[in-house]
Amino acid sequence: MNDEDILTRIQALVEEEHSLRDGTGEGGVPDQARLRHVEESLDQCWDLLRQRRAKKDSGENPNDAEARPISEVEGYRQ
């Protein structure tokens, strides 16, 4: 997966996130489980993109970057 593929995936997830927030599921509320999954997937994609860019900037192969588990990505402090 290259940077463009990751950015395309991020855009698709952002669109789904907006759709989930704007639309309503059964009972008039968004699907919270799906929304949480989309948010976590977004964080994971952004983390992978940052890893790839850092490797490229330091002269390493960006293809060596790997997606970290959601549990690890979600544990980061901002």
Side-chain angles (χ1 to χ4, degrees):
M1 185 178 280
N2 62 37
D3 291 0
E4 289 302 317
D5 293 335
I6 297 169
L7 288 167
T8 298
R9 176 77 176 131
I10 287 170
Q11 183 60 42
L13 288 166
V14 167
E15 289 173 11
E16 183 177 357
E17 179 185 29
H18 290 168
S19 175
L20 286 167
R21 289 185 188 282
D22 294 341
T24 55
E26 284 186 43
V29 294
D31 181 349
Q32 293 298 319
R34 180 64 191 157
L35 182 58
R36 183 173 44 256
H37 177 74
V38 168
E39 290 170 340
E40 291 169 344
S41 295
L42 268 169
D43 290 344
Q44 192 176 37
C45 286
W46 280 116
D47 177 66
L48 178 58
L49 187 62
R50 282 189 293 273
Q51 284 183 65
R52 288 181 55 81
R53 289 177 174 172
K55 285 188 177 295
K56 188 184 313 179
D57 289 346
S58 65
E60 296 178 43
N61 184 350
N63 293 327
D64 291 341
E66 295 182 9
R68 295 183 236 228
I70 288 175
S71 60
E72 183 176 340
V73 173
E74 290 300 305
Y76 295 152
R77 291 196 168 155
Q78 298 201 16

